[in-house]
């Protein structure tokens, strides 16, 4: 059974800092790794998807990497802004489901 | 694409009542998922449809829960005899068979009083 862990559970940083969110998964037989953002009381917004054959994906200030052999993914956020404050969730994607970690709650202070 | 649509957005119900939620996936998305999320936790898988066929169900989906996708388009999730422990956000997602990215709706927030 796939288990996904995200560290840290919460993070508070001053505006402008670069930061790294970590995601680990126990079963490396995944199809993809998908990162989401969730604002309070809202649904999930897809940020980046890394297919199992890829090592990383980039979108704007976001860069996600995937190392299947070690069961790890990281989300790098450059030059953080207060608008980045949200919960970030990673999901290990198999053929028929996404398995989520508990999320990292990020607060970026002005 | 208009996105995944869920209705209602909020539902308050008394314990013991039945509730039904609706999910309209993105057009032509074959796969549809239901998840439950409680406060401060990641979403937990409930069930998965490939077109109209329900192919996977979690043990979380007790006999009080039932989901349907009768024509392979929209889906409904019904909870019978609601309990306070059913209070959560219920999320729906969809994706194409041929594309790996899943898209989520805004969720239905259920409060059982």
């Amino acid at each position: 059974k796939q288990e996904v862990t995200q560290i840290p559970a919460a993070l508070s940083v001053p505006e402008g800092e670069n930061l790294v969110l970590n995601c680990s998964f126990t079963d490396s037989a995944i199809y993809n790794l998908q990162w989401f953002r969730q604002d309070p009381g809202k649904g999930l917004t897809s940020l980046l998807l890394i297919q199992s054959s890829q090592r990383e994906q980039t979108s704007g200030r976001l860069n996600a990497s995937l190392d299947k052999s070690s069961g790890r993914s990281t989300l790098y956020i450059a030059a953080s802004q207060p608008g980045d404050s949200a919960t970030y969730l990673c999901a290990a994607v198999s053929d028929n489901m996404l398995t989520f970690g508990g999320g990292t709650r990020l607060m970026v202070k002005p | 694409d208009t996105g995944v649509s869920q209705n209602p957005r909020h539902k308050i119900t008394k314990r013991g009542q039945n509730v039904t939620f609706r999910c309209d996936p993105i057009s032509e998305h074959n796969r549809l998922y239901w998840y439950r999320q409680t406060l401060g936790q990641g979403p937990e898988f409930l069930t998965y449809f490939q077109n109209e066929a329900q192919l996977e169900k979690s043990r979380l989906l007790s006999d009080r829960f039932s989901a349907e996708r009768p024509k392979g388009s929209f889906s409904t999730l019904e909870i019978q005899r609601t309990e306070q422990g059913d209070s959560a956000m219920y999320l729906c997602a969809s994706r194409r068979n041929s594309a790996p990215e899943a898209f989520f709706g805004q969720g239905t927030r259920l409060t059982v009083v």
Side-chain angles (χ1 to χ4, degrees):
Chain A
K1 179 185 174 230
Q2 179 75 269
E3 293 183 2
V4 179
T5 303
Q6 290 188 246
I7 294 173
L11 183 62
S12 181
V13 300
E15 181 177 6
E17 274 204 6
N18 302 324
L19 54 100
V20 175
L21 308 182
N22 296 292
C23 171
S24 61
F25 47 94
T26 55
D27 185 352
S28 62
I30 61 171
Y31 284 20
N32 309 299
L33 195 293
Q34 194 166 356
W35 282 92
F36 294 88
R37 169 185 172 138
Q38 186 174 33
D39 293 294
K42 304 292 186 182
L44 279 63
T45 300
S46 179
L47 295 175
L48 288 165
L49 180 139
I50 313 173
Q51 298 190 52
S52 60
S53 58
Q54 298 173 322
R55 297 296 300 267
E56 65 178 89
Q57 280 286 332
T58 298
S59 177
R61 294 182 293 108
L62 305 180
N63 175 275
S65 67
L66 175 63
D67 184 344
K68 277 187 61 177
S69 60
S70 67
R72 297 185 183 198
S73 177
T74 60
L75 179 67
Y76 175 82
I77 303 177
S80 58
Q81 302 170 358
D84 295 331
S85 298
T87 296
Y88 290 81
L89 294 153
C90 70
V93 183
S94 63
D95 185 47
N96 55 7
M97 74 172 71
L98 294 79
T99 304
F100 285 88
T104 295
R105 290 190 314 280
L106 173 65
M107 172 72 70
V108 181
K109 297 174 289 186
Chain B
D1 286 340
T2 57
V4 178
S5 176
Q6 292 190 246
N7 288 287
R9 291 293 309 280
H10 304 275
K11 178 72 176 178
I12 300 174
T13 191
K14 292 184 178 180
R15 191 174 52 188
Q17 297 293 306
N18 300 340
V19 294
T20 300
F21 310 140
R22 177 178 170 126
C23 172
D24 287 89
I26 295 171
S27 178
E28 298 181 355
H29 278 200
N30 317 84
R31 301 189 182 204
L32 187 147
Y33 305 85
W34 284 99
Y35 280 78
R36 182 175 74 182
Q37 186 180 29
T38 53
L39 203 60
Q41 304 296 314
E44 297 172 294
F45 172 78
L46 291 178
T47 191
Y48 152 62
F49 289 86
Q50 170 86 2
N51 299 313
E52 67 275 11
Q54 189 174 18
L55 297 185
E56 188 92 21
K57 289 197 294 186
S58 163
R59 285 171 297 173
L60 292 175
L61 217 65
S62 74
D63 56 5
R64 296 185 298 106
F65 288 70
S66 62
E68 294 182 342
R69 194 181 183 197
K71 297 182 180 178
S73 56
F74 73 91
S75 176
T76 58
L77 178 68
E78 181 183 17
I79 308 174
Q80 296 182 328
R81 305 181 302 281
T82 52
E83 302 172 354
Q84 286 189 319
D86 297 330
S87 296
M89 174 79 89
Y90 290 83
L91 294 161
C92 176
S94 71
R95 56 165 278 215
R96 295 177 195 268
N97 278 341
S98 57
E101 191 170 8
F103 296 90
F104 279 77
Q106 289 298 300
T108 294
R109 166 74 66 189
L110 173 66
T111 302
V112 182
V113 297

